[in-house]
Amino acid sequence: MRRLLVVGAAVALAVLTLLAGLGWHVSGRIYREAILASYDHGPEQYDDALVLAVDSTTITLAPLRNERERLARDGAFGLFWNGGSGRIGAIVRQEGARLVRTFSTVEGTPARGDSVDLRLEAYQGDPRRARGIPFQEIAIETELGPAPAWSVTGTRTTWVLFVHGKGATRRQALRALGVVHSLGFPALVLSYRNDNGAPASPDGRYHYGLTEWRDVESAVRFATQNGAEDVVLVGTSMGGGIVAAFLSKSALAPLVSRAVLDSPMLDFGETIDWGVKHATIPGTTLPMPAIAGGLGKQFATWRYGVDWEALDLRRRIGSVRVPLLLLHGDMDEIVPFTTSQALAARHPDRVTFVSFPGANHAEGWNVDSLRFNESLREFLKLEP
């Protein structure tokens, strides 16, 4: 009996040590890769595909690693390589593992044998260069200092403000900006704390809307001081969470007549759980155990003071009365599609939900720009 007790205690200690180590590891990754704004992800990677041939209108690519499914996804995407970028479109033909797609260059031309990376930035540069839309580079004064923004003029008194996602840039707005501009809306394409060129947050961390909403408030104030009678907020990914936080916290929220949320990260904790579900144990191909998400979040609370309840913005957005256009791809590997699906089901009176079959995170426009643009166009035509 004594021996069994000793063995049982040793096993229990080993399990507890393993779980503690797992929680410590996951919490460290949460901090480094998701919370720490200055985290260095290393040099640019160009490892999605290999260029086999290129001419004035097409490019032939062979997938690297296991990227064939991603490379074969129809639609429009940015193509990047060391020293240049371009845009790929429709699939012309497939020849075994080789794919021939329409191609146009933005900067430079890839050579045969170059490795390239497929990205969401089908439009690159600034509004004038990418879309032929005149704009001004301005600075919006926030509580932390000036933050750069693109300002596009229009004929209406409703302004549209774009809030990009974590790790993205203002270029993310270029996909939808064409529709907004064609309808005559003035637009501001914002940056916010921890963006390149914008002020850093005092603690050097992302807060997933809990502090960033104040920068959106500064932009809304700027818009109203320059002729806006009301505004439409467009938030993508973490930008959707920032919009949700603004709508629930800001005294200026009544100035918002409508909001567009594209693949919105409304619950950071659920997003972590979703990521853990698709992760593997370091150094192996074994799936991460389901318990790792909960352990990692608990350790993140102890180590870094993360308040997961405050980061669940789903309840707050549910109390928002303005009409919402909710756009989400059903193959999203970053933010659970079910989060948006459930929100739309709970509030059918004010949420217009548009799903994009086969689209990964924030890929709705890329895989079906016609449906994305038409959904946005019809929503913006609604009377506030």
Side-chain angles (χ1 to χ4, degrees), residues 352-374:
T352 301
F353 183 46
V354 182
S355 63
F356 292 86
N360 205 324
H361 187 57
E363 280 187 354
W365 183 95
N366 299 85
V367 302
D368 195 344
S369 61
L370 290 177
R371 187 163 186 243
F372 187 102
N373 289 343
E374 188 58 28

Side-chain angles (χ1 to χ4, degrees), residues 78-81 83-87 103-110 124 129:
L79 198 69
F80 290 75
W81 57 92
S85 63
R87 181 180 180 183
F103 173 72
S104 59
T105 182
V106 173
E107 183 177 1
T109 302
Q124 299 146 39
R129 181 183 177 193

